[in-house]
Amino acid sequence: SSWLSVSPETGNLTSSAETITASVNRTSLSPGDYFSSISISSNGGNKTIIVYMNVPEGPAPTLSLSASVLDFGTSETQLSFSITNTGDTVLNWSVEANQSWIGLWPNNGSTNSETDVINVTVSRSGLDFGSLSGKIFISSDGGNDSIDVTLDVPFEDDFTTLDGWTNDGWQISNSPNCADPPCALSYTGISVAAQTISRSVSVQDGQTLSFWVYQYSPSGHVELFFSDVSVWSKNTYGSELVEVPIGGS
């Protein structure tokens, strides 16, 4: 029969066994029952295997997804999407991601009329701060599709080192006199030009920048800028914990 094939078609063996794979192709066949046979000829005898196949009525399996984008934002670690079959025959599917920080479970299955839920997790551990994107690819015998995955990694730094900062006169110190080393120390007289220390970072609305400021002289002035806009300043003597919200108001 033209809808039936076997592989391999020839071979030889002594006391071992060999597996023959039979495959059917239902394409363009009308619904109904089909029968055929596989004939095995050998110098050790001949055998025949009867083959039965059914072509079901109704639409073939068709893949349908509940989402086209999964956005994890700055804090979500688990979201999900569902796979449904809008056809009448069993849909076999599998999923895979193109980024190692995307986890999928389960990663394969089959569905007739039920809905299969795929749990998607992301891990921000070890990722650089900023916006990242990836894709989930869904393959099935009822079509293929993909889902875009996006997430933001918030800027986080415990400032255990200030070596990456640009400065024009500040001194970086690990002195035990610091409340929480390392410290950035600036000594500026009235007649000396302002000294700056800066670092470029990507931040998200809703984050809070926290730092300690100790001002030795009441005549001094400390000012914090975001994108060249002053968001905080201090003129008074003493130490102070500063918490500056980013974004919003």
Side-chain angles (χ1 to χ4, degrees), residues 89-110:
T89 56
V90 174
L91 174 78
N92 300 294
W93 56 264
S94 63
V95 295
E96 62 178 351
N98 68 346
Q99 300 293 338
S100 60
W101 44 264
I102 301 175
L104 300 169
W105 188 86
N107 56 17
N108 63 78
S110 61

Side-chain angles (χ1 to χ4, degrees), residues 6-245:
V6 293
S7 178
E9 295 182 342
T10 62
N12 59 78
L13 69 158
T14 55
S15 60
S16 60
E18 186 169 356
T19 298
I20 311 298
T21 301
S23 303
V24 297
N25 183 4
R26 294 179 174 85
T27 304
S28 302
L29 295 180
S30 301
D33 294 328
Y34 290 78
F35 295 89
S36 186
S37 62
I38 299 172
S39 298
I40 302 97
S41 302
S42 79
N43 58 354
N46 304 321
K47 293 289 183 179
T48 299
I49 298 175
I50 303 300
V51 178
Y52 161 75
M53 178 189 69
N54 176 264
V55 178
E57 295 185 8
T62 303
L63 174 70
S64 179
L65 303 177
S66 64
S68 59
V69 177
L70 294 177
D71 184 3
F72 286 82
T74 59
S75 59
E76 293 288 348
T77 58
Q78 180 173 316
L79 297 173
S80 64
F81 69 94
S82 60
I83 292 176
T84 54
N85 177 16
T86 57
D88 284 350
T89 56
V90 174
L91 174 78
N92 300 294
W93 56 264
S94 63
V95 295
E96 62 178 351
N98 68 346
Q99 300 293 338
S100 60
W101 44 264
I102 301 175
L104 300 169
W105 188 86
N107 56 17
N108 63 78
S110 61
T111 174
N112 192 343
S113 58
E114 74 277 7
T115 297
D116 289 348
V117 177
I118 314 302
N119 296 303
V120 183
T121 59
V122 295
S123 173
R124 294 177 175 83
S125 177
L127 300 178
D128 292 334
F129 61 84
S131 298
L132 298 176
S133 62
K135 274 187 177 293
I136 299 170
F137 297 99
I138 302 93
S139 302
S140 78
D141 50 10
N144 303 319
D145 209 338
S146 63
I147 295 176
D148 292 323
V149 178
T150 60
L151 85 162
D152 293 304
V153 181
F155 171 70
E156 293 182 359
D157 196 338
D158 58 7
F159 299 111
T160 55
T161 175
L162 299 177
D163 294 340
W165 288 65
T166 300
N167 76 84
D168 61 358
W170 291 68
Q171 301 177 30
I172 308 304
S173 171
N174 286 303
S175 167
N177 295 326
C178 296
D180 189 11
C183 297
L185 311 173
S186 177
Y187 302 95
T188 306
I190 297 176
S191 61
V192 179
Q195 296 173 349
T196 62
I197 184 168
S198 63
R199 179 178 179 183
S200 296
V201 297
S202 296
V203 294
Q204 304 291 331
D205 282 355
Q207 290 183 260
T208 300
L209 176 64
S210 301
F211 59 99
W212 280 93
V213 173
Y214 175 75
Q215 193 155 301
Y216 179 74
S217 170
S219 62
H221 179 75
V222 181
E223 197 161 5
L224 173 67
F225 289 84
F226 279 156
S227 302
D228 297 324
V229 176
S230 177
V231 297
W232 174 88
S233 63
K234 176 179 175 62
N235 290 294
T236 58
Y237 168 80
S239 61
E240 179 180 347
L241 174 62
V242 181
E243 294 185 333
V244 180

